[in-house]
Amino acid sequence: MNKARLLLNRTVPAVAGAAAAIMLFAGCGGASVNQSAADGATACGTVNVAMNAWVGYTANAAVYSYVAKNELGCTVVQKDLNEQISWQGFASGEVDIVIENWGHDDLAKQYITDQKVAVDAGATGNVGYIGWYVAPWMAEKYPDITEWENLNKYASMLATSESGGKGQLLDGDPAFVTNDEALVKNLNLDYKVVFSGSEAALIQSFRTAEQNKTPILGYFYEPQWFLAQVPLKKVNLPAWTEGCDANAEEVACDYPEYKLNKIISKKFADSGSPAAKLAKSFNWTNEDQNAVATDIQGGMMPEEAAKKWVDANEDAVNAWLN
């Protein structure tokens, strides 16, 4: 969520359970970029999947990993890494795939264009949106709050102990794609960006604000299972136009629409591994991702949620494999 275009999680207890379950695909503990590949690779070999910290990403990775493991006989190793650190593993071979990338033009230039250790493996089929949101009760009571020009009018109402007398704009993980500090400055808004630290904390803050009718303005994104439970209302920022966000320090426009894609290592791409071919062909919709993410949030282990989706979508999976 730069981010999370961004990024991007469920209630805190559920997320903790999902995070713990992630590693079960490989039967290993927490990992770093320096972790060596697991033993016991099959004919497919070992595929190292970076795991970024939002449940939509977990949903993508769970389905990809399930198919790689159960249809192709691959050994799948999942590694908990933030977005930027994930890309560092392409050069060493410690990371083979980032299954959901939100832009990161700077990283693409560094690792794809300049170092040539990674390649774009094509679209996931998901379309991502980032923006500022308020709780539904606020949009109903203060309908003009959804226009950015009116935000200073509500700054005092949104002030917290962490915002130093200014209105609080709540962000998620600092690793998520975000232009928010530049936006606050360049739009002359009397706000301070405060990081919640994770998607789970961000979601819980929105949930509590709606339940208790307390004020909140925060960064959020789609695809996102949580919006089906609490339909947050988006604030209209100045419209995005081509090039308006080219200079990170001068951004004064909304976020663009993101065509989410997959990034894989050049070595992996050239290996002929069926897991690399699967990475390139993996493609589904926002609705598909949200369905799997909702099951994970509901208490299913990621592998269980993946199996449920795969069993119900055999034609799609066969298309990936063929």
Side-chain angles (χ1 to χ4, degrees):
M1 196 200 206
N2 284 352
K3 153 188 148 18
R5 282 111 175 118
L6 262 244
L7 358 129
L8 264 261
N9 321 55
R10 315 5 188 167
T11 63
V12 175
V15 173
I22 284 170
M23 304 310 298
L24 293 183
F25 279 111
C28 60
S32 69
V33 168
N34 294 320
Q35 177 186 10
S36 61
D39 293 334
T42 66
C44 169
T46 296
V47 54
N48 298 292
V49 181
M51 298 300 296
N52 296 166
W54 60 93
V55 174
Y57 188 108
T58 301
N60 283 38
V63 172
Y64 170 82
S65 298
Y66 181 87
V67 175
K69 177 182 176 182
N70 291 282
E71 299 293 336
L72 302 177
C74 307
T75 296
V76 179
V77 178
Q78 296 183 337
K79 303 181 178 184
D80 292 324
L81 303 165
N82 76 26
E83 292 176 82
Q84 287 79 7
I85 297 298
S86 298
W87 289 65
Q88 295 178 18
F90 288 136
S92 64
E94 309 274 358
V95 170
D96 295 314
I97 180 169
V98 169
I99 195 67
E100 182 178 285
N101 172 56
W102 287 71
H104 290 298
D105 292 342
D106 55 337
L107 296 175
K109 181 180 184 302
Q110 180 178 354
Y111 293 99
I112 296 178
T113 305
D114 296 342
Q115 295 186 22
K116 295 180 172 55
V117 294
V119 299
D120 183 338
T124 66
N126 300 125
V127 180
Y129 303 92
I130 297 173
W132 296 357
Y133 292 77
V134 296
W137 79 265
M138 295 178 68
E140 182 176 349
K141 186 171 182 178
Y142 310 106
D144 65 339
I145 200 172
T146 57
E147 300 297 329
W148 75 268
E149 299 95 328
N150 300 320
L151 288 177
N152 279 343
K153 174 180 171 182
Y154 298 100
S156 60
M157 180 179 73
L158 287 156
T160 70
S161 59
E162 297 179 76
S163 62
K166 298 177 180 287
Q168 175 177 279
L169 173 59
L170 189 65
D171 270 36
D173 187 324
F176 290 174
V177 171
T178 177
N179 299 326
D180 288 355
E181 290 181 334
L183 281 167
V184 166
K185 176 184 176 182
N186 297 325
L187 294 178
N188 297 312
L189 296 176
D190 190 25
Y191 283 78
K192 177 182 178 181
V193 175
V194 175
F195 291 95
S196 66
S198 69
E199 181 187 69
L202 189 59
I203 286 175
Q204 189 58 43
S205 295
F206 275 116
R207 188 190 299 278
T208 300
E210 179 63 14
Q211 290 174 343
N212 298 339
K213 302 298 183 283
T214 51
I216 188 170
L217 171 67
Y219 167 106
F220 213 62
Y221 40 88
E222 301 177 49
Q224 175 56 248
W225 66 274
F226 178 67
L227 295 175
Q229 294 186 4
V230 180
L232 305 178
K233 302 302 179 182
K234 192 173 185 294
V235 173
N236 295 314
L237 294 170
W240 182 88
T241 57
E242 187 71 35
C244 71
D245 53 358
N247 187 324
E249 295 183 358
E250 297 179 3
V251 176
C253 59
D254 207 344
Y255 292 86
E257 176 182 282
Y258 294 100
K259 301 294 187 183
L260 306 187
N261 64 329
K262 302 150 293 187
I263 308 296
I264 64 178
S265 76
K266 181 68 162 57
K267 181 179 179 180
F268 184 54
D270 294 342
S271 68
S273 168
K277 295 177 181 177
L278 174 63
K280 294 173 184 177
S281 63
F282 176 87
N283 187 280
W284 64 352
T285 68
N286 286 13
E287 290 74 20
D288 291 326
Q289 184 189 103
N290 286 338
V292 177
T294 298
D295 284 339
I296 294 171
Q297 275 312 114
M300 280 190 184
M301 301 295 280
E303 186 167 13
E304 181 184 6
K307 181 181 186 304
K308 176 183 174 181
W309 187 90
V310 167
D311 288 347
N313 292 274
E314 291 183 359
D315 289 345
V317 174
N318 287 335
W320 300 344
L321 295 172
N322 295 325

